[in-house]
Each structure stands twice: as C-alpha cells, then as structure tokens.
Amino acid sequence: MSLIIDGKKIALQIKDELRAAVADLKKHHNTVPGLAVILVGNNPASKVYVSMKEKACAEIGVYSEKHLIGEDSSTEELIGLIETLNKSEKIHGILVQLPLPGHMESKKVIESVSLSKDVDCFHPYNVGRLLTGEPVISPCTPAGIQELLLKSGINPEGQHVVILGRSNIVGKPLFAMLCQKSKGANATVTLCHSRTNDIKKITSAADILIAAIGKPNFVKADMVKNDSVVIDVGTNRISDKASEKGYKIVGDVDFEDVKGKVRAISPVPGGVGPMTIAMLMKNTVNACVSRIKATGRKQQ
Ligand code: GUN
C-alpha cells in the first residue's frame, strides 16, 4: 500500500503552530504580522490563489490587505504601490501574484519589493542567498515540498532527487535547496526540462521524483521506479463536463496509474498546494519577528 501524503493535514499542523506564534507576538510585542497581496488583472486561477492566501491569514490571525490593480495598469503604477507598502509599518510581507500581464516588466516589479518583505523569495538577492546556502528566507513552494517530505518521514539526504521543470518559482529554487550541505537536503539532484533527452530514463532512476512541469497527467507508471516517492506540484485545469464548473484540477502525475507502484505519493489537490500557503504564512510571521528584533536592536 502506498502512503498518500496528506498535505492538507500537515499544513493544518503548521498553521496551528503559527496561530500560537501570532498570539504570542500580539501579547508580548503588541504586533500583528501583516501581509499585502497584490493581484493585477482578472486571471481566474490567480483570483482563487489570492483568496486562499487571504483565508489562511484570517485563520491564523495575520492582518491582510488585498490590492486589486486593473489589467492595463503600468509597471510604474504597480511599483508605486509596492514602494508605499515597503514603507508601511503594518505590512511585513508583500506578495505580487504572478503571472503579471504581458506588458508589465516582471523583473523590475520583483526587484522593487523590499528584501525584508520578499516573502516569496523572488528577489535576485534572496535567490542568490539561497544558492550560496545562506538563505534569509525560503521560497514557499520548494520549502513546502521539503517540509512535506520531512514530516512524512522521507529524508532526501543521499537520495537521487529528480525534478521535472526549471521554473523560477519551483524547479530552480528547489534544486538550490535540496543540493545544500544542510539537514533535510544533501540530495543528489537532477533537473530535467522540456529539452531533456530521454526523460523516462532519468525519472525511472529517481528515488524521489518531483513533478513541476505544468503538463496534466504527464508522469505515468512506466516513468517511475518501484517503491520511489512521487511529489506532484502540478495544478492544471482540464475540461470536465461532469463537473458543475466545467473543469477539474489535475496534477502533473497520473495519480491512478502511478499510485500502486510507489512507496509514497502526494495528491492534487491536497498535497503541495496547502503547504505553499502554510509556508507563506510562516515567512510572513518570520518577517515580523525579524523586524521586531531589528527595531529592538536599534533602540538599545
Ligand atoms: N504564481 C504561482 N505561484 C506563485 C507563488 O508562489 N507566488 C506568487 N507571487 N505568484 C505565484
């Protein structure tokens, strides 16, 4: 019997711990962690993600602000808002939901977020710190995957981890995290992408396979090793006439095909998704704690 990794349950445990930490910050420092979420345009999937992030803030007592910006706003307008939030005392974390509309300069936008409020860990400085093994903050989805593995009793140390997908949000930062000489990492990591030759040969050699390639049901049973671990990061909408909404969400892994062959597998939904949000909450609370420590030092 394969272990079905319950990301929802693990995320709930993490949020319970964070709720207690938030109450403690209020009691001892009279400070409430605050997160600002910016959504540009009307991307339906982004709208769902943003409302899930707001809900998580409410659940653990984090203050949240949602800023909705019109699809045709300029890069300068968006950066203007970010600069205001950079200065806000109430805000400890700023998240700009990606993707931005095509006309916007995403790089400039990401670089305008204050380093200490970059709860996504998208700023090139924070990405660099991650690569050199001196992270100030950890990116939400990769950190959620690492936590999901460790809390399920699966240690990547010494294992061959194969990552499918080289995105800046998942594949590349996850590679940087898992190859570090540190606890919960120390893995041998192979990164595959759309131009990789003979992907099946590589995925079949993985002790831990992490699929973040954005292709519905891409990973089949004949691509995985017996008794390996499979983590599915995909969130793909595919049409489903039987559903009221007309679509359903599936991962990058053909769950029904693969689940009988592996030792453990994370489902979609209910696997990595809830962990990403739990890690965002953790980063926001940590950013608040860091601010308290920094201002305390200044006052001394
Ligand atoms: N779009 C898809 N995933 C993410 C994420 O983790 N953070 C942000 N800001 N945008 C995203």
Side-chain angles (χ1 to χ4, degrees), residues 15-164:
K15 285 192 282 181
D16 281 344
E17 289 164 17
L18 290 171
R19 190 179 302 109
V22 170
D24 210 53
L25 286 171
K26 173 107 183 85
K27 189 170 164 197
H28 297 291
H29 299 277
N30 198 27
T31 305
V32 177
L35 176 70
V37 179
I38 304 173
L39 175 61
V40 185
N42 292 305
N43 181 320
S46 292
K47 277 185 174 171
V48 174
Y49 296 139
V50 165
S51 69
M52 283 156 81
K53 288 166 188 176
E54 275 189 292
K55 186 167 160 265
C57 287
E59 279 168 6
I60 65 164
V62 164
Y63 166 73
S64 71
E65 278 178 12
K66 181 164 74 176
H67 296 267
L68 301 174
I69 311 283
E71 180 90 31
D72 46 11
S73 307
S74 67
T75 301
E76 288 67 32
E77 280 172 88
L78 176 54
I79 291 178
L81 169 62
I82 293 169
E83 281 168 354
T84 305
L85 294 167
N86 281 342
K87 290 187 211 123
S88 167
E89 291 279 325
K90 283 199 287 190
I91 295 301
H92 302 89
I94 301 170
L95 180 142
V96 183
Q97 188 64 33
L98 300 182
L100 290 172
H103 69 275
M104 280 198 163
E105 292 170 85
S106 299
K107 196 168 161 299
K108 266 193 186 170
V109 171
I110 286 168
E111 289 181 18
S112 73
V113 175
S114 152
L115 292 179
S116 61
K117 298 192 179 186
D118 176 31
V119 282
D120 261 324
C121 190
F122 285 171
H123 192 289
Y125 174 84
N126 285 328
V127 176
R129 296 284 300 231
L130 191 73
L131 196 63
T132 55
E134 306 154 300
V136 184
I137 203 145
S138 298
C140 303
T141 302
I145 293 166
Q146 191 179 37
E147 198 67 18
L148 200 58
L149 289 170
L150 296 174
K151 289 250 160 69
S152 307
I154 301 156
N155 193 335
E157 291 215 24
Q159 302 283 296
H160 183 199
V161 176
V162 174
I163 301 170
L164 285 181

Side-chain angles (χ1 to χ4, degrees), residues 170-211:
V170 186
K172 283 190 266 183
L174 184 61
F175 179 94
M177 281 175 77
L178 293 180
C179 71
Q180 295 302 326
K181 198 174 189 174
S182 62
K183 216 167 155 261
N186 280 315
T188 304
V189 192
T190 304
L191 184 70
C192 299
H193 47 76
S194 53
R195 302 291 176 91
T196 299
N197 287 336
D198 205 353
I199 279 202
K200 198 193 276 190
K201 186 172 164 204
I202 301 170
T203 57
S204 301
D207 300 314
I208 301 174
L209 176 65
I210 301 172

